[in-house]
Amino acid sequence: MALLEQWRKIAYNQEADKTELKQFWDRYFEKEKAIYEQLLEQPDTEVKGSVAELAEQYNIELMAMVGFLDGIDDSLKAPNPIETMEEDTVVSLAFDKELLYKNMVRASADWLYTLPAWDSIFDEAKRKELYQEQKKSGTIVKEQRVYPNDPCPCNSGKKYKKCCGRLA
């Protein structure tokens, strides 16, 4: 069984005790935060190695590293083969800074997108811009409905029903 499949069985176990699962995620998020703090210290330096080597480098369990790789994959410059990776699969953590920040906002991971390390990467205005850009990208804007007695949107001055809304 591929590592990612094993991770998902553990992390998304529907039969697990809810309290234990919450504790599992709380511990994972602390580890994830520590890794991001280290990565953001040198955001332009590519970190590369096997899954097992990276787990050892960041002093976490192999499965926690698999979860981390699953989470960061959408923010990488080049995706890793996460679906098929094994312990000896070489992966890269070279991430796109703006994309990573936006993905953290999308995931509502405020413990990550508010890390102090972001202050040296983006100024406050840029962080605010990225934050708003991400929030707006998930907003659905419905067109305002035009009713028959409303002025026609073509600005003819006629009522909609007598202009563009006329049935032929």
Side-chain angles (χ1 to χ4, degrees), residues 117-129:
W118 284 111
D119 296 345
S120 61
I121 298 170
F122 299 126
D123 62 24
E124 187 177 343
K126 181 66 174 178
R127 289 192 313 274
K128 187 174 183 178
E129 174 191 326

Side-chain angles (χ1 to χ4, degrees), residues 146-153 158-166:
V146 180
Y147 293 94
N149 287 325
D150 289 346
C152 191
K158 299 179 183 177
K159 288 185 178 183
Y160 179 68
K161 67 183 179 185
K162 298 283 187 179
C163 190
C164 296
R166 180 181 295 153

Side-chain angles (χ1 to χ4, degrees), residues 132-156:
Q132 290 175 341
E133 201 175 295
Q134 176 55 44
K135 288 297 187 181
K136 284 180 184 175
S137 73
T139 304
I140 298 170
V141 179
K142 291 170 60 175
E143 287 187 35
Q144 190 171 1
R145 181 166 174 185
V146 180
Y147 293 94
N149 287 325
D150 289 346
C152 191
C154 76
N155 293 322
S156 66

Side-chain angles (χ1 to χ4, degrees), residues 14-97:
Q14 296 297 319
E15 289 132 29
D17 177 66
K18 300 298 180 205
T19 304
E20 288 179 20
L21 199 55
K22 183 183 179 329
Q23 290 171 349
F24 168 83
W25 279 106
D26 289 344
R27 287 188 307 269
Y28 170 77
F29 290 144
E30 284 303 314
K31 295 170 188 174
E32 177 187 48
K33 181 179 175 182
I35 295 172
Y36 277 120
E37 286 173 332
Q38 291 178 52
L39 284 175
L40 293 174
E41 284 176 11
Q42 297 179 344
D44 297 317
T45 302
E46 180 182 15
V47 176
K48 197 171 190 170
S50 72
V51 178
E53 290 168 346
L54 291 176
E56 188 177 318
Q57 178 179 339
Y58 291 106
N59 197 29
I60 62 171
E61 305 84 29
L62 182 69
M63 282 296 114
M65 179 50 69
V66 172
F68 181 81
L69 290 167
D70 185 25
I72 197 173
D73 201 56
D74 290 341
S75 304
L76 298 177
K77 292 178 180 176
N80 289 315
I82 61 169
E83 296 290 336
T84 58
M85 70 184 169
E86 297 297 335
E87 288 184 39
D88 59 346
T89 304
V90 175
V91 293
S92 168
L93 298 180
F95 57 92
D96 177 304
K97 294 178 284 226

